Amino acid sequence: MAERYDSIIIGAGFAGLAAGIRLAQFQERVLILESHFIPGGLNSYYFRGGKDKLFNTGLHTVTNFNAKNRRWGFGLICRNLGIPASEFSLVPPSRPSLIEVPGAGLDFNNDLDVLRGSIAERFPAEVEAFDRFCTDMSQLEDVQRLYGIGSRTWLEEYFRDPVLMDLLELPVYIYGGYSEKQIDAATFSTVFRSIFLEGCSSPPDIKHILDLLIKRFKSLGGELKMRKRVARIDCEGGAFRAVELADGTRIEADRCLSSAGLCETGQLAGEVWGRTCPLSVFETVVSVNAPMTDLQADYTLQLISEQERFDWKAPDERGAFDHLTLAASAFYDFAEEPHAKHFKIGCFQKGELWLGLDEETYQREKNHLEERLLQVLLARYPGLRDVEAEHCESLTPRTVVTYTSHLNGGIYGGAEKTFDGTTAVQDLFIIGNDQGGIGIMGALTSGVVVSNFQVILKSART
Amino acid sequence: MTKDDIKQIVLDIIAEIAPDEDLSDVKPEVRLRDQLELDSMDFLDIVMELRKQYGIEVPEADYPELASLDSCANYLEPKFAALGTKA
C-alpha cells in the first residue's frame, strides 16, 4: 500500500518549510520532499574547504525587519510559525546602501529619513510626492487595481522626474523583477514597503534560519525527506491524488503544496501552466580574511543600473550586463566580526544562454564574465585591492537549475503568478516565487498564507 | 476549575497568539473580536492551543461559543470538568 499523508510539500526552501510548520500545527502527517541534500533551494548554502567555511547563495538580505505587527512581514512569520523573533538572530546593516543610475544616486538604510534626505538633496521638487507615496503605501486602498497596472504607471501618479522613478524602481526590480519590462504595482508596493519602510537585515548565515525552521517543523511531528525528487504528480478527475518519486515510490496525500514553480509543477502534473521568465543570475563571491577596518566598505549594498533609461530585461548577449548588485555581507551589526568576509557581485543573465553549452565554452564564458565582474567589484570596494582573496567562485544560471530545478534558472520564478496559490487542479497549490512570494520573507509569507487560506481555514469550514 | 480560571486560560492563550494586544482591560461580556484585533486565523489558533495544551476539542460548529470570555467559560467549563473526572 502507498504511504499516505495529510499534506505533501514539494521543496524544502523557505516557502516549503514555512508551509510545513504551519500545516504541522494543525495536521498529523505532513511531509516535505526535497530533491537536493541541502535545504534552502535558491537561498541555500554550501561549504568550501572545511566545515567552518560556509558560503550562502543569494543576497541573504531579509526584509520587513521592523514589521513586528503579527499580520504582516516579520511579525506575521514569527506568530504563524511560533518562533520568537529573537531566534532568527537578524541584525540591521552597519553601513548605508546605494542605488545608482548614470549621473544620479540615492543612499538608503533602515531609517527612511536617509532615503528621504537623499531625495530632498537631489530631487527637491519631488519630496512632497515621496512623502505622499510612502503614506499611501502603508495604507493601500485599492490593491486590486494595483495588480492590474504596471509599477511605472503607478509611480507616474506621484512623480515627474523619470530619473527618480528609475532610482526607485531599480532596487525593487533587482529584488523581485519577476517579469521583463514591468511588474505589477501591487507586487512593487509590497517589495518597496518591505525594503524601505520596514528595513533590511541579515542572519549570521542562511543555515542558521534553515536549521531553525527544520527544528521547529520536526518538533511538530513533520517529516522531511532529502534527496527525494518528485518525478510526477498524479491527478484524478481534476484533483490531486499522489506524487511519484524518481525512484518509483508513490506517496498519497489529501493535498500538495508545490514550490517547484507554476510551469514546473504543471509539467509534473502533465499540464501546461504559466510562462517562464528568462531572468536568471550570474553571481561571483569573494571571501577575504582581513579585519573589517582594513576593508573600508562605504556601503553594505550597491544596486546599480548602467542603462541611461531603466529598462528591466536580461541582456540579449551572454556575459553582457546592465544591472549589478554588490553586497558586503559582513557589514551588518553582528555581535562578533565574521571570520571570513564575503563580497558578492551579481548581474542578470538570460538563463537559456547558459544552458546546453559544451563544457569548454561554459568554462571560458564563466571565467570571462567572472573577471569582468571582479574588476567592477574591486572598483566599487577599493579596500579589497590590498587584501588577499581566500576563495573566489561563481554561480551561473546552470547552477541555479541544478539546485532549484527552475526552468531557465529563473530566480524570480515564472512571469505569471497565481496570487491566491490555487491551480486548475483541486488540492494542488503553488507556494513560493510563483505565488508572488519575493525574497526570503516573501517566500516564508507565501508558505504561511497559502496554508492558512487554502488549507487550514478551508478544512475548518468543511 | 472555576469559570474565572477558564477565562484566564483563554486570556493566556490570546497573549501567546497576539503578544502585541493589550489584554489588561478585556470585558468578559463583550465579543473578543469587538475589543481586540482578532481574525479567523486567531480563533483557529485558540482552538488549536486548547487542543494542544489541554486536550480539549472544539468542533467547527461550536466556534461561535468562543465569541466572548463569558461564553468561552460557559462553553468550556463542562469540557474542563470532564477532563478532571477522567484524570
Side-chain angles (χ1 to χ4, degrees), chain A residues 68-358:
Chain A
K68 302 282 159 68
N69 178 312
R70 72 183 196 281
R71 284 175 216 293
W72 173 268
F74 192 26
L76 176 138
I77 294 306
C78 295
R79 171 235 161 165
N80 274 275
L81 301 186
I83 303 176
S86 60
E87 290 191 20
F88 285 83
S89 307
L90 297 177
V91 292
S94 60
R95 301 279 187 282
S97 291
L98 171 74
I99 317 166
E100 188 185 289
V101 299
L106 297 174
D107 283 3
F108 71 96
N109 68 8
N110 285 2
D111 178 359
L112 188 64
D113 280 342
V114 172
L115 178 63
R116 190 181 182 280
S118 212
I119 291 173
E121 206 173 294
R122 182 69 178 69
F123 306 93
E126 299 273 36
V127 175
E128 182 270 332
F130 179 73
D131 290 341
R132 222 161 9 96
F133 182 65
C134 291
T135 308
D136 287 1
M137 179 108 42
S138 28
Q139 43 198 340
L140 285 179
E141 283 187 357
D142 191 356
V143 182
Q144 278 317 311
R145 181 180 78 94
L146 297 184
Y147 276 113
I149 60 173
S151 65
R152 184 55 65 116
T153 311
W154 190 42
L155 287 172
E156 282 170 349
E157 292 173 13
Y158 295 86
F159 303 102
R160 289 183 173 189
D161 195 319
V163 178
L164 176 60
M165 286 187 270
D166 285 355
L167 284 162
L168 294 177
E169 278 187 334
L170 175 66
V172 173
Y173 278 68
I174 282 183
Y175 210 75
Y178 66 84
S179 148
E180 290 195 304
K181 301 289 176 196
Q182 289 270 297
I183 61 168
D184 69 279
T187 302
F188 179 88
S189 82
T190 304
V191 178
F192 188 94
R193 176 177 167 184
S194 304
I195 299 174
F196 296 107
L197 273 49
E198 293 163 0
C200 296
S201 64
S202 175
D205 56 58
I206 285 297
K207 184 173 184 296
H208 172 80
I209 301 187
L210 289 168
D211 287 350
L212 185 68
L213 297 173
I214 290 170
K215 193 175 112 197
R216 175 78 178 134
F217 176 62
K218 289 186 171 168
S219 77
L220 293 163
E223 280 179 67
L224 169 61
K225 294 187 177 177
M226 307 301 286
R227 304 200 75 160
K228 298 286 179 193
R229 181 177 292 277
V230 173
R232 213 169 64 81
I233 292 174
D234 186 14
C235 307
E236 201 184 292
F240 171 83
R241 283 287 170 270
V243 297
E244 217 177 270
L245 303 184
D247 64 11
T249 315
R250 180 184 158 87
I251 310 175
E252 295 182 351
D254 292 343
R255 65 192 64 77
C256 175
L257 283 72
S258 168
S259 65
L262 184 59
C263 287
E264 295 84 346
T265 303
Q267 284 186 349
L268 292 171
E271 306 268 347
V272 180
W273 292 338
R275 196 154 47 87
T276 59
C277 172
L279 281 160
S280 189
V281 73
F282 187 105
E283 186 181 273
T284 298
V285 57
V286 176
S287 167
V288 297
N289 267 336
M292 303 270 254
T293 42
D294 289 1
L295 293 168
Q296 303 283 338
D298 294 332
Y299 294 109
T300 297
L301 299 175
Q302 302 187 46
L303 311 170
I304 296 156
S305 170
E306 297 193 338
Q307 293 171 315
E308 279 306 319
R309 273 283 79 81
F310 181 65
D311 178 17
W312 184 245
K313 61 183 182 59
D316 292 324
E317 258 176 79
R318 180 172 56 238
F321 49 79
D322 298 321
H323 309 108
L324 293 162
T325 310
L326 292 88
S329 309
F331 288 84
Y332 287 84
D333 284 335
F334 298 120
E336 272 178 54
E337 182 170 319
H339 175 63
K341 286 86 183 171
H342 294 174
F343 287 80
K344 285 184 184 180
I345 177 163
C347 67
F348 300 90
Q349 295 284 296
K350 276 204 161 78
E352 60 190 34
L353 297 176
W354 287 88
L355 304 175
L357 298 179
D358 64 79

